[in-house]
Amino acid sequence: MRRNSDEIAKMRKAGKVVAEIKDRTREMVKPGITTLDLDKVSREVLEKRSAKSNFLNYHGFPATICTSPNSMIVHGIPGSYRLEEGDIISIDCGAIVDGYHGDSAFTVGVGTISKVAQHLISVTERSLMAAIDVMFEGNRIHDIGRVVQSIVEAEGFSVVREYVGHGIGTSMHEAPSVPNYWPGNAGPKLKVGNVLAVEPMVNVGGSETVTLEDGWSVVTADGSLSAHFEHTIAILESGPEVLTI
Ligand code: MG
Ligand code: MG
């Protein structure tokens, strides 16, 4: 799908709301708060900005953000879990403005975290930013995953395969899929007007995942730590524009 400049302007607005949710939730992260407290703040921002949640009621999801601590990779449900000193937590945020979607996630430490946790977070974020740098018209969709994988594996970490990035626009999840690894071919060309949510999920140990009994929470099969960063990015003639900052 190629979006025109009016559509991208709307997606910019949605992206700004998502960025505000990220900023507000990030400020709150400290030992003792619950993941439900983070969801409350997200709901406040959505209401203040007259935006809708794209996560709430998505296939029955009960909250406006996903909160995934430690070995949880993605899709954690906010609830009574209290953040503890030394945890890391991924917070995945979204918003709909004028029918257009934004989607973005970050991972942050709670108080003082281990060296490996710090390294995991920084490598995962770096892999996303390096991937964005190749999002020019004429490059290929799978150049994104090639860049992510090369950075992540050079540090001895692994890239999750079962969950991938996606096109985004009038739905949260649109074609094409955007894997975070090289799937064996280059895929379609990137074109001006494409808007993609790129979201590396990176594990300290193996790449295998398990879904918990709640039907949502995805964790690492080996219990190792996992980090997740995501931005919604528009490809313009001038190059990539990150909409969710
Ligand atoms: Mg997301
Ligand atoms: Mg996404």
Side-chain angles (χ1 to χ4, degrees):
M1 182 78 73
R2 299 176 74 173
R3 303 286 171 190
N4 64 36
S5 56
D6 287 349
E7 292 176 296
I8 288 173
K10 287 176 183 167
M11 296 194 75
R12 221 172 253 132
K13 284 188 192 168
K16 288 287 176 217
V17 175
V18 177
E20 186 174 348
I21 296 169
K22 287 168 65 184
D23 291 345
R24 290 282 310 281
T25 53
R26 185 192 294 271
E27 285 164 11
M28 282 191 64
V29 167
K30 61 172 190 232
I33 68 142
T34 68
T35 48
L36 198 59
D37 295 331
L38 297 168
D39 184 55
K40 279 189 196 141
V41 165
S42 166
R43 287 172 192 253
E44 281 171 25
V45 174
L46 288 165
E47 192 176 349
K48 187 170 69 173
R49 299 299 174 205
S50 303
K52 290 189 189 140
S53 173
N54 36 11
F55 289 27
L56 185 64
N57 299 325
Y58 181 87
H59 297 286
F61 192 77
T64 67
I65 56 173
C66 299
T67 51
S68 308
N70 299 323
S71 63
M72 199 175 289
I73 302 166
V74 283
H75 303 166
I77 302 172
S80 59
Y81 181 78
R82 262 178 215 291
L83 301 186
E84 290 179 21
E85 177 89 18
D87 281 351
I88 65 170
I89 183 159
S90 147
I91 304 178
D92 197 342
C93 307
I96 309 171
V97 175
D98 295 337
Y100 286 84
H101 290 243
D103 185 11
S104 183
F106 64 97
T107 301
V108 66
V110 182
T112 306
I113 61 173
S114 69
K115 281 251 155 57
V116 67
Q118 283 175 35
H119 190 50
L120 174 70
I121 290 172
S122 98
V123 167
T124 307
E125 184 169 29
R126 178 157 60 85
S127 74
L128 171 59
M129 300 321 284
I132 292 170
D133 282 344
V134 302
M135 292 177 67
F136 283 87
E137 174 158 283
N139 280 346
R140 304 285 186 146
I141 297 266
H142 297 162
D143 287 329
I144 293 167
R146 182 178 51 76
V147 168
V148 168
Q149 184 177 19
S150 69
I151 288 173
V152 166
E153 292 185 352
E155 302 295 333
F157 298 144
S158 67
V159 172
V160 170
R161 303 290 205 274
E162 284 102 326
Y163 301 89
V164 296
H166 47 94
I168 180 168
T170 50
S171 302
M172 179 157 62
H173 295 133
E174 298 183 352
S177 290
V178 184
N180 296 301
Y181 58 95
W182 178 255
N185 62 74
K189 278 187 180 167
L190 295 169
K191 296 201 168 104
V192 167
N194 288 159
V195 185
L196 302 174
V198 178
E199 50 181 317
M201 290 149 255
V202 176
N203 301 345
V204 168
S207 64
E208 294 76 18
T209 71
V210 171
T211 304
L212 300 185
E213 281 182 2
D214 64 20
W216 284 104
S217 309
V218 178
V219 300
T220 57
D222 60 11
S224 68
L225 286 178
S226 185
H228 177 211
F229 280 84
E230 176 180 29
H231 275 305
T232 297
I233 302 120
I235 298 174
L236 308 179
E237 274 175 36
S238 53
E241 178 181 334
V242 179
L243 304 180
T244 41
I245 48 174

